[in-house]
Amino acid sequence: MADSQNPVHELLDPKTDYYQVFADVEGEDLEWWKKARDFCDYARPYVNEGWEKAEYQLHVVEEAGKRGLVRDGIDIEGEPHMSVRAARLMAFELARTDASLGTAFGVQGGLAMQSIAMCGSEEQKAKYLKAMSKLEIRGAFALTEPDHGSDSIGLETTAERDGDEWVINGEKKWIGHGSVGHIAVVWARDTSDGQVKGFIVDQDQDGYEAETITGKASLRGIPQAHIKLNNVRVSEDRRLPNANSFRDTAKVLAGTRISVAWASLGLATDCYEKALDYAQRRTQFGRPLVKNQIIQQRLADMLQDLTSMFLYCRRLLELEESGEITEQQAALAKVHCTRAARKISADARDMFGGVGILLENDVARHHADIEALHTYEGTDTMQSLIVGKSITGVGAFAG
């Protein structure tokens, strides 16, 4: 095994990162990772309460803003640089603690802020990004509709130009921060040219109605909304000038699909480590559970899947840093990592036996939350079809 004095090993046990995939993280990236761990230590006592009661622990997310962590690698004037590598390691660490918390970061930074950073004007960036990074402004990303999830390219929400304003009508669903935020980046189809465009909408303005979705069995710690937009008027300066087609929207989504792969790695890592620890402590039939051959085999099987996830994410990072990553490569990683995380979390929950359903042991919460990650930002089927088309040359998205 690698040097036990490696500072990375304070954050990630070499018996978990079995091939030492991230043993070389150093410098500013390592410091950001440590800051994420420190924040997660602060957040951890609030996680299960929020999940059990389906309550948003807003003060926890606001603390992250005060610490300057809500960035998703976006360069903001006056703020220290955060690399892509640092942002991905933070996504891993946050999900390792709580997927609802990681999703809150993803909604705020990876979706709402990135939409403005990638598609907004310089004036919009100056007005919103720094304030959003501090959580002084909470943002939502309103793309998914009641009848358009995986086929969001077919969205029905419309935007009609009326002089110096746009009039937006339609519905959105499953929108994080959509009922507890300040603004929403709403994606709508321009009635004049049929193209999808983005608009910054204040959540308290006339015609914007949002209801928090209840009864969820996954990601219970972050509110998601069903939004109705009825003749919502926004001025031309609220339109994102560099969002002129769904292709521009897809550029934002590509980054979040990468983040889902990293978040899945975080969830799976915690499940594996919790299962290993429990198997070493638990005594059954007069001996430690870990002395049973079947338990060791199951742990080794979990480690195989986990190691493949580490390798996927490392290569994905290299491609992203070099600017060579493709939508298809991101899709393959999202599919593989969420599938593997589902399997690892199920094995971990089972290995705990009856107490595995208790929130205090974390694995049941992770097991439920991975179901949402497996679905959002493009379902398993849709991502597989993206990959399938790339290797066959034939699209099979509609039967």
Side-chain angles (χ1 to χ4, degrees):
M1 285 296 177
D3 181 8
S4 61
Q5 300 302 312
N6 187 327
V8 171
H9 296 162
E10 298 176 12
L11 301 166
L12 190 59
D13 193 315
K15 292 181 180 178
T16 299
D17 182 6
Y18 207 69
Y19 282 3
Q20 303 294 282
V21 177
F22 293 117
D24 61 347
V25 176
E26 59 184 4
E28 291 181 353
D29 296 330
L30 182 59
E31 292 306 310
W32 279 114
W33 191 357
K34 289 179 179 178
K35 290 177 182 178
R37 169 62 65 84
D38 289 343
F39 168 72
C40 287
D41 289 341
Y42 161 82
R44 191 167 288 107
Y46 304 102
V47 165
N48 283 328
E49 178 183 0
W51 200 95
E52 184 171 18
K53 296 181 179 179
E55 293 179 352
Y56 192 32
Q57 304 293 303
L58 181 57
H59 69 283
V60 175
V61 184
E62 289 178 335
E63 177 64 24
K66 293 175 183 176
R67 298 187 185 198
L69 301 179
V70 187
R71 292 273 302 282
D72 200 61
I74 297 171
D75 284 328
I76 298 175
E77 186 176 355
E79 298 297 320
H81 175 68
M82 177 189 291
S83 70
V84 170
R85 179 168 302 204
R88 297 311 181 204
L89 289 167
M90 289 179 66
F92 160 78
E93 193 64 42
L94 289 162
R96 189 178 177 182
T97 299
D98 178 41
S100 293
L101 188 61
T103 299
F105 272 66
V107 167
Q108 181 78 1
L111 289 172
M113 289 175 63
Q114 282 289 6
S115 294
I116 296 172
M118 296 172 69
C119 302
S121 66
E122 293 305 314
E123 292 76 16
Q124 290 167 343
K125 294 175 188 178
K127 180 178 180 179
Y128 291 106
L129 290 181
K130 188 164 187 174
M132 292 178 75
S133 74
K134 302 297 184 183
L135 264 293
E136 295 166 1
I137 297 176
R138 293 189 297 279
F141 178 90
L143 174 66
T144 301
E145 299 180 348
D147 296 324
H148 296 282
S150 294
D151 65 337
S152 55
I153 192 172
L155 61 82
E156 298 178 28
T157 298
T158 60
E160 184 175 2
R161 186 71 181 262
D162 182 18
D164 293 332
E165 294 183 321
W166 293 82
V167 182
I168 303 175
N169 285 281
E171 293 187 39
K172 300 294 182 179
K173 196 170 184 180
W174 300 112
I175 309 305
H177 279 176
S179 55
V180 297
H182 299 103
I183 63 169
V185 177
V186 175
W187 300 91
R189 191 174 299 282
D190 184 345
T191 57
S192 65
D193 63 11
Q195 295 297 326
V196 174
K197 296 177 180 177
F199 303 85
I200 301 173
V201 177
D202 289 330
Q203 293 189 18
D204 61 357
Q205 69 184 85
D206 291 342
Y208 184 102
E209 298 178 12
E211 180 180 1
T212 299
I213 297 169
T214 59
K216 295 192 302 177
S218 183
L219 295 184
R220 290 170 54 82
I222 180 173
Q224 293 163 304
H226 184 172
I227 300 170
K228 295 182 180 179
L229 302 149
N230 183 23
N231 292 323
V232 173
R233 288 184 170 270
V234 297
S235 56
E236 167 63 12
D237 64 1
R238 290 295 194 91
R239 181 178 67 84
L240 299 177
N242 297 311
N244 297 302
S245 71
F246 189 78
R247 184 176 296 276
D248 297 318
T249 317
K251 292 176 183 177
V252 180
L253 294 174
T256 57
R257 286 168 181 164
I258 294 170
S259 290
V260 174
W262 282 88
S264 300
L265 175 60
L267 285 165
T269 295
D270 197 55
C271 285
Y272 166 75
E273 291 180 332
K274 292 285 171 59
L276 176 59
D277 177 68
Y278 181 76
Q280 292 171 323
R281 291 185 291 105
R282 175 65 169 170
T283 298
Q284 285 279 57
F285 302 106
R287 63 178 184 173
L289 192 62
V290 77
K291 285 193 173 182
N292 291 285
Q293 290 182 352
I294 190 63
I295 294 297
Q296 290 206 11
Q297 181 178 5
R298 292 179 71 178
L299 287 168
D301 287 347
M302 293 166 74
L303 182 60
Q304 289 179 45
D305 287 331
L306 187 64
T307 300
S308 73
M309 295 172 71
F310 273 108
L311 292 168
Y312 261 77
C313 287
R314 178 57 186 252
R315 181 56 181 155
L316 200 64
L317 176 63
E318 293 169 349
L319 291 167
E320 191 176 13
E321 289 177 327
S322 67
E324 299 175 343
I325 194 165
T326 67
E327 175 190 9
Q328 294 80 12
Q329 290 167 331
L332 184 65
K334 200 266 185 180
V335 169
H336 175 79
C337 288
T338 57
R339 283 185 186 178
R342 286 176 102 195
K343 185 175 182 295
I344 290 170
S345 68
D347 281 341
R349 207 245 30 97
D350 182 66
M351 201 173 295
F352 268 80
V355 299
I357 68 170
L358 296 176
L359 289 179
E360 66 186 47
N361 291 315
D362 296 327
V363 292
R365 172 168 51 83
H366 290 328
H367 186 47
D369 286 344
I370 190 60
E371 289 302 299
L373 272 67
H374 191 61
T375 301
Y376 70 27
E377 306 304 332
T379 64
D380 181 283
T381 300
M382 291 303 297
Q383 301 304 319
S384 296
L385 290 176
I386 290 171
V387 175
K389 181 180 178 180
S390 74
I391 60 178
T392 66
V394 178
F397 295 97

